[in-house]
């Protein structure tokens, strides 16, 4: 299980998905719905974007879920959550989540260190840079760049 908000998916996410897909028979990439977070793209749009950029990994499936992550894992007999750790700043919260997920449903979390090239990357920063006209082509797959810019323009003009 590779969970996240993916609003939008970045090369940082893709790096983790690609590496997880080479380690496991099947990888579920799940868009988690966070009711408290305002998103730029709908869940359906995020799923489509992830599917488009993961077609080369035949063992990757994409889905969404609006409850507890571990309930999805239990329901679908998924024993392992794979998360990328960018820096020590990620560690405290990720550790807490992994501990509670283990206690709630016995689901393990494996942490992968992100590739150094992506250690500063987050969807929030990508949106901020792009909203000011900055070049994010090194951070987001090229097929998604136009959609990102269009959505940010729409948001700024509303
Ligand atoms: O991409 P993000 O926003 O950093 O991903 C965080 C996410 C969605 C993986 C995390 O918030 C999560 O697992 N949410 C689902 C709800 C849940 O299970 N919460 C309890 C985790 S302790």
């Amino acid at each position: 299980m590779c969970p996240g908000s993916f609003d939008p998916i970045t090369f940082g996410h893709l790096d983790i998905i690609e590496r997880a897909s080479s380690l496991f028979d099947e990888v579920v990439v799940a868009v988690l719905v966070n009711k408290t977070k305002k998103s730029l793209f709908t869940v359906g749009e995020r799923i489509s974007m992830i599917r488009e950029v993961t077609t080369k990994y035949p063992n990757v499936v994409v889905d969404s879920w609006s409850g507890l992550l571990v309930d999805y894992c239990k329901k679908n007999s998924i024993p392992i959550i794979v998360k990328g750790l960018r820096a020590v700043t990620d560690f405290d919260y990720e550790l807490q989540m992994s501990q509670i997920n283990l206690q709630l449903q016995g689901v393990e979390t494996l942490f992968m260190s992100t590739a150094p090239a992506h250690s500063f990357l987050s969807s929030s920063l990508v949106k901020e840079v792009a909203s000011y006209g900055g070049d994010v082509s090194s951070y987001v797959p090229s097929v998604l760049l136009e959609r990102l810019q269009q959505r940010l323009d729409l948001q700024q003009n509303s």
Side-chain angles (χ1 to χ4, degrees), residues 3-6 13 32-34 37 67-70 83 86 93-94 96-98 100-101 104:
S5 302
F6 304 107
H13 296 126
L32 269 296
V33 181
N34 185 339
K37 235 181 181 177
L68 277 179
L69 176 61
V70 286
K83 287 282 194 80
R86 289 168 294 196
Y93 187 50
E94 289 295 344
Q96 286 173 9
M97 283 201 286
S98 70
I100 205 159
N101 286 337
L104 283 171

Side-chain angles (χ1 to χ4, degrees), residues 4-148:
S5 302
F6 304 107
D7 188 42
I9 188 166
T10 68
F11 284 132
H13 296 126
L14 268 176
D15 170 52
I16 299 297
I17 293 167
E18 180 179 67
R19 287 157 62 196
S21 81
S22 71
L23 292 173
F24 298 96
D25 293 339
E26 185 171 272
V27 173
V28 178
V29 177
V31 176
L32 269 296
V33 181
N34 185 339
K35 285 173 240 153
T36 60
K37 235 181 181 177
K38 203 182 162 329
S39 61
L40 187 64
F41 293 100
T42 66
V43 172
E45 289 168 333
R46 283 179 265 164
I47 289 179
S48 303
M49 293 191 286
I50 300 168
R51 285 205 177 118
E52 272 179 61
V53 297
T54 57
T55 46
K56 59 176 174 235
Y57 312 116
N59 61 341
V60 169
V61 294
V62 188
D63 200 357
S64 67
W65 181 248
S66 60
L68 277 179
L69 176 61
V70 286
D71 287 343
Y72 181 97
C73 293
K74 212 68 202 171
K75 191 168 154 259
N76 294 283
S77 308
I78 298 171
I80 300 172
I81 297 165
V82 178
K83 287 282 194 80
L85 276 185
R86 289 168 294 196
V88 281
T89 43
D90 281 341
F91 186 71
D92 270 353
Y93 187 50
E94 289 295 344
L95 183 66
Q96 286 173 9
M97 283 201 286
S98 70
Q99 287 168 334
I100 205 159
N101 286 337
L102 183 63
Q103 197 175 59
L104 283 171
Q105 291 282 16
V107 180
E108 295 283 0
T109 302
L110 295 187
F111 292 112
M112 273 184 185
S113 54
T114 53
H118 303 128
S119 63
F120 57 88
L121 198 49
S122 73
S123 298
S124 310
L125 275 184
V126 164
K127 284 182 277 192
E128 182 163 342
V129 171
S131 73
Y132 289 106
D135 178 10
V136 293
S137 56
S138 307
Y139 313 140
V140 172
S142 55
V143 288
L144 308 182
L145 286 172
E146 204 175 303
R147 258 171 282 179
L148 174 61

